[in-house]
């Protein structure tokens, strides 16, 4: 069977390969070419931590998470601003009821805050922006305490050495 487009092939992606028919994708077994998941989704074209964030063709149901067998493990109920993946701690960013929250692999909300818009996690801290137009970046603990005050124009994820790039007043620097 011919496909409009084929996804990237990387060893870490496992046995499934993303393929497109029209504007929608599905997955084939990359060894046999057999269709495993039909081309009726959009969203994440890879599985991370065993799940892919997908939406059906009409997008009205929102986004949910499927396993490599094509089974919806977490129902399509979330609004997303982009492709979302589960982090190594088993949490994932998701839009729910007009707020950005962190969910676990069952779809249960495990963290929400009124202190800013959640953008992800890094080294156990939650990266948020608190101001309008994606300004006032900082990091919260899971107890909602500011670990890094929201005074930056932008903050990168924390690096392995505990430092991160921060922007303030148009200048970039490194903080710890």
């Amino acid at each position: 069977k011919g496909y409009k487009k084929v996804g990237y092939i990387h060893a870490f992606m496992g046995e499934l390969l993303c393929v497109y028919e029209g504007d929608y994708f599905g997955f084939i077994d990359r060894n046999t070419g057999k269709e495993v998941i039909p081309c009726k989704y959009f969203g994440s074209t890879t599985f991370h931590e065993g799940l892919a964030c997908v939406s059906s063709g009409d997008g009205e149901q929102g986004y949910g998470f499927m396993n490599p067998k094509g089974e919806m493990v977490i129902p399509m109920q979330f609004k997303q601003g982009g492709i979302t993946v589960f982090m190594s701690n088993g949490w994932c960013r998701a839009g729910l009821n007009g707020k950005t929250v962190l969910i676990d692999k069952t779809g249960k909300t495990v963290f929400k805050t009124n202190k800013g818009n959640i953008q992800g996690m890094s080294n156990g801290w939650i990266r948020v922006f608190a101001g309008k137009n994606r300004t006032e970046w900082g990091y919260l603990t899971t107890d909602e305490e500011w670990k890094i005050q929201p005074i930056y124009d932008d903050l990168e994820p924390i690096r392995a050495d505990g430092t991160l790039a921060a922007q303030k007043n148009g200048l970039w620097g490194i903080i710890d």
Side-chain angles (χ1 to χ4, degrees):
K1 183 174 183 177
Y3 294 99
K4 178 181 177 182
K5 182 172 135 182
V6 176
Y8 296 102
I9 301 173
H10 297 287
F12 71 86
M13 293 172 72
E15 299 301 312
L16 296 182
L17 178 64
C18 179
V19 293
Y20 287 81
E21 284 182 354
D23 294 332
Y24 304 106
F25 67 80
F27 295 89
I28 61 172
D29 180 297
R30 73 182 208 180
N31 296 314
T32 66
K34 181 182 174 193
E35 185 176 86
V36 177
I37 299 169
C39 294
K40 63 179 186 177
Y41 298 101
F42 59 92
S44 179
T45 59
T46 61
F47 290 86
H48 193 267
E49 296 290 315
L51 297 172
C53 179
V54 298
S55 185
S56 63
D58 63 11
E60 292 299 316
Q61 296 174 326
Y63 288 78
F65 295 83
M66 83 164 75
N67 66 22
K69 295 178 183 177
E71 301 164 334
M72 291 306 298
V73 177
I74 301 173
M76 293 181 192
Q77 60 186 323
F78 301 103
K79 298 294 178 198
Q80 302 296 132
I83 296 172
T84 300
V85 297
F86 279 89
M87 297 166 270
S88 60
N89 69 349
W91 291 5
C92 178
R93 182 176 165 254
L96 185 63
N97 301 322
K99 297 289 281 178
T100 305
V101 299
L102 296 175
I103 61 171
D104 66 15
K105 289 186 178 181
T106 68
K108 177 184 170 196
T109 299
V110 292
F111 183 82
K112 61 183 176 181
T113 184
N114 290 323
K115 293 187 175 185
N117 188 300
I118 299 169
Q119 296 301 295
M121 283 191 79
S122 188
N123 287 12
W125 298 348
I126 297 139
R127 187 170 160 244
V128 301
F129 65 84
K132 295 179 181 178
N133 300 320
R134 299 179 68 88
T135 60
E136 299 175 31
W137 288 80
Y139 273 94
L140 287 171
T141 66
T142 54
D143 295 327
E144 289 199 80
E145 299 297 323
W146 288 109
K147 196 67 171 174
I148 297 177
Q149 292 292 320
I151 61 171
Y152 295 96
D153 301 332
D154 198 358
L155 285 177
E156 296 290 322
I158 300 168
R159 301 172 183 163
D161 67 359
T163 63
L164 63 139
Q167 182 185 38
K168 189 163 181 163
N169 300 323
L171 301 173
W172 282 93
I174 304 295
I175 61 173
D176 61 10

